[in-house]
Structures are given as structure tokens and as C-alpha cells.
Amino acid sequence: MKNKTGEKYLSIKRNWCKRCGYCVEFCPKNVFDIGEDGYPVVARLEDCNECRICVYICPDLAVIAEPEVEEKIKDR
Amino acid sequence: MMESVVHHHLRPKKKFPHIWCPGCGHGIILSALVRALEKTGRERDEVVLVSGIGCSSRAPTYVDFSSLHGTHGRALAFATGIKLGNPRLTVIVLTGDGDALAIGGNHFIHACRRNIDITTVVFNNNIYGMTGGQYSPTMPTGAFAATAPYGMIEQDFDVCNLSVATGASFVARGAVTNPVALERYIRQGILTKGFSVIDVVEPCPPIYGFYNKTGTALDMMRSIKERTISIKKAESLSPEELKGKVLTGVFIDREYREYTEEYNKVIEEAKRSIQDEEPL
């Protein structure tokens, strides 16, 4: 899903993430990297083909693909 | 909207992150279930999620559908009551392998036999995670658990073959490594008029992984990916090549005499026979 300006969007909700690494492993385009603290980071958003496997495979519902959703759950 | 549909259905006051361990597959199944429900177009108020006891049975507490958290193994018994009370409802049972097949084993086979229009999703991680790692009926022979320190000596249940043999209308097996197919199976199960069973292969990294030294959550996911093979692909393989493999896909899809419809016919007939009787 693209945001209002038509750009790709992906973010990790760090306080929900449990660092299992599934998003890094299952992304077919290798968009994620594991950061120094073990949390995944969106490193190559330009390679994303918007298949949404990362959103589906995240057991902690911590990969967010829409800015509206991010806004909705930002205080949780 | 479609990608993050589960985020739109989270209960407002529920605390996150959820209680499941890092790498546990339950969250993947829950989001696949919500996406499947959204695609079937069922109204939120017409869906009831019923669960028993166990890690898996915590799933309905996170989403804002009507839910009932019952007693251990009896989720199907409660669900049968709900469905008979109001056949208009879409009743979905979320249950673990121990909950469905050990404690609730009788309810499970008789729900299959009755062919009542309920969808059952079995969260199959081969172990009792919440109570500390006792072996469950689906634990593979030779695997280790807190109650099987020298290895499991019993034969394990095959959920799908059991359901097919006892008369379920729709039986499929998915894996958390393929959430797109899993969502499709759950959707097909919900749309089938009759009893549907979806067995989901998933890892339990902190308990099963600990006793069996299967490595990290990622290693377990890779092993599931290697182990699972679709029914179509398996047809061309020899029995030796299929050793240790787990078949995924739709095992059976048949619609026949459904229990609530038959029950309503009995009610109608009883009403007629009472009216026909002469008053005392």
C-alpha cells in the first residue's frame, strides 16, 4: 500500500517486535536487515515489491504497511 | 486495507505485545484467520470465536469478534450449542493439538461425525506449551518432551486423516511458513457448509525447541518449510522420498447432510406431529 504521496511504506513497531527474524528471512527481495540491537530495520525499501509476506508472516503483528494503521496504534 | 486487516480488528483495551513467545506461530494463524473472515464478507457481529484452554485459545481475546473462552477440550461442545442455538452464526473454534485431540478427542471425532457447520482451526505445535512441555497426541514418535525424557514411544495422530475418516466435510493442512495458502484454506473452510478442519503446522521454539534441541525459531521455520510438501507434488514421489514429509493442501472437500439443517427438520416434524395429535 502506498501512502498519500504515492511512495512505498513499511515500518516496524519496535515495542511489539520480539526479534524472531521471520521478516528478514521470508522477504523475497531482502528488504530488511537485522540492526545492532537485534531488531529488524527497513534497509532497502526501494527493492520492495509489495508482496506483503512480511506483514503476513510477522507473528507479533509488528510489521506495518500503512501509515493510517501506524497512526491508529501508535500509543499502544 | 487488506494487508493490515488484523490491526483494524484488535480489541481496543487489550495490551500489546501479546503473550505468545518470540517466534510462536499463533500470531500468524490469527492474522490469516482475520484476513480470511474479511474476505468471506461475514458481518463482525455474526462471527463467534470459541476456544478452550491453552496458548492457542488465547487468540480470540485479541480480536473484537464475539468470543467464548470455554473449558479445556470442550470448545467444540460449546460451539455445537452456539451453532444449534442460532444457526445463522459463523462459528469458528480455535484450539490447540492437545485441547482438540487429547482432552477434547471425543468431542472432536463426534463433531466430525455429526458434520455440524463449524470451522475448526487446530494450532498444531506438537506439545503442551502453556503447562511446561508435556507431550501431546500429535508429537512425532521419538521426539522429546518433559513427560517423555527418553523419547516418545507412542504413535502420533494424523489430524487430517482422522478428520477425513470420521466424516468432516472439509479437511486441509496448512503451515505458518505459507500464510497465503493458510488464509485460503481457512476461507474455504468457513465457506463450506459442514464441519471443516484446518490443521496448521507451526513451531513452538521455547518449549518443543528446547526439549528437542531444534535450534532457534528461525531454524524451526526453515525445517517446517523443508518438511512440508503439497499433496500434488507428493503424488509423483516415491515412498522413500516422502519419508518424514508432512503433506499440505486440501485433503477432502465434500458437502453432504449438515447437522443443523437435519435438526431443524426434526423440529418441524415434531411440531407437525404434535399439532396433528388430538387434544387430551
Side-chain angles (χ1 to χ4, degrees):
Chain A
M1 193 70 65
K2 293 179 175 68
N3 68 9
K4 279 170 194 162
T5 52
E7 288 159 358
K8 293 173 186 172
Y9 185 87
L10 265 186
S11 80
I12 308 286
K13 194 163 171 59
R14 281 172 67 99
N15 60 335
W16 288 17
C17 175
K18 289 174 185 162
R19 295 181 282 184
C20 61
Y22 292 176
C23 49
V24 185
E25 170 81 12
F26 282 84
C27 177
K29 292 289 178 184
N30 197 18
V31 168
F32 299 92
D33 268 346
I34 295 185
E36 279 176 14
D37 52 1
Y39 286 97
V41 285
V42 185
R44 286 166 293 277
L45 187 59
E46 66 278 7
D47 292 350
C48 175
N49 65 355
E50 304 187 336
C51 68
R52 297 299 174 240
I53 284 293
C54 53
V55 180
Y56 300 162
I57 206 82
C58 178
D60 303 300
L61 320 177
V63 180
I64 314 287
E66 292 149 67
E68 299 81 37
V69 174
E70 177 90 56
E71 182 64 25
K72 194 176 172 183
I73 57 174
K74 71 173 193 294
D75 297 328
R76 305 186 72 175
Chain B
M1 169 67 191
M2 215 52 228
E3 290 87 2
S4 301
V5 62
V6 64
H7 293 100
H8 296 283
H9 282 284
L10 297 179
R11 289 197 187 204
K13 287 184 181 163
K14 200 72 191 170
K15 273 189 184 148
F16 276 88
H18 53 55
I19 58 151
W20 297 316
C21 309
C24 174
H26 292 352
I28 305 174
I29 306 174
L30 179 63
S31 63
L33 170 77
V34 177
R35 286 199 307 278
L37 268 172
E38 187 81 11
K39 280 193 183 162
T40 57
R42 301 285 156 107
E43 287 291 320
R44 202 189 69 183
D45 295 339
E46 288 178 359
V47 176
V48 186
L49 305 182
V50 186
S51 65
I53 299 293
C55 300
S56 58
S57 303
R58 298 294 294 259
T61 63
Y62 290 107
V63 282
D64 62 355
F65 298 99
S66 305
S67 63
L68 186 135
H69 200 164
T71 49
H72 205 358
R74 317 296 176 222
L76 276 165
F78 287 114
T80 304
I82 293 169
K83 186 71 190 176
L84 279 178
N86 187 353
R88 205 170 43 86
L89 297 173
T90 302
V91 184
I92 296 168
V93 173
L94 305 179
T95 176
D97 46 328
D99 197 42
L101 298 163
I103 300 101
N106 253 317
H107 295 298
F108 185 80
I109 56 174
H110 288 286
C112 289
R113 182 179 61 85
R114 284 192 190 116
N115 196 32
I116 183 164
D117 186 17
I118 292 173
T119 306
T120 304
V121 183
V122 182
F123 293 50
N124 193 348
N125 56 9
N126 313 114
I127 203 160
Y128 287 86
M130 189 175 262
T131 47
Q134 293 81 5
Y135 63 72
S136 86
T138 57
M139 174 167 272
T141 313
F144 297 91
T147 45
Y150 304 105
M152 176 74 162
I153 53 168
E154 298 169 14
Q155 178 72 32
D156 53 313
F157 261 142
D158 184 320
V159 186
C160 291
N161 288 341
L162 176 75
S163 320
V164 170
T166 45
S169 264
F170 178 86
V171 179
R173 182 183 286 125
V176 288
T177 46
N178 191 347
V180 179
L182 174 60
E183 177 197 321
R184 194 171 62 237
Y185 300 146
I186 298 179
R187 195 179 72 232
Q188 279 176 273
I190 294 168
L191 292 174
T192 302
K193 196 152 189 60
F195 195 72
S196 318
V197 180
I198 296 100
D199 177 33
V200 190
V201 185
E202 58 162 349
C204 175
I207 313 285
Y208 189 92
F210 169 77
Y211 285 109
N212 290 281
K213 299 187 177 50
T214 45
T216 62
L218 258 183
D219 293 333
M220 291 186 85
M221 282 293 262
R222 287 186 194 120
S223 135
I224 288 177
K225 211 173 173 180
E226 278 165 26
R227 227 166 48 227
T228 48
I229 182 168
S230 73
I231 295 176
K232 261 188 200 156
K233 241 185 214 168
E235 277 168 5
S236 57
L237 296 178
S238 65
E240 286 83 45
E241 285 172 307
L242 282 175
K243 218 174 175 188
K245 298 279 185 200
V246 179
L247 298 185
T248 58
V250 178
F251 280 67
I252 205 155
D253 188 358
R254 54 183 172 193
E255 287 203 12
Y256 68 105
R257 180 194 49 74
E258 196 270 324
Y259 187 67
T260 47
E261 282 179 2
E262 297 297 313
Y263 200 81
N264 282 338
K265 280 181 202 163
V266 172
I267 293 172
E268 292 303 317
E269 203 176 320
K271 273 183 188 166
R272 267 200 306 277
S273 72
I274 289 168
Q275 280 163 4
D276 293 345
E277 274 175 25
E278 287 187 13
L280 292 168

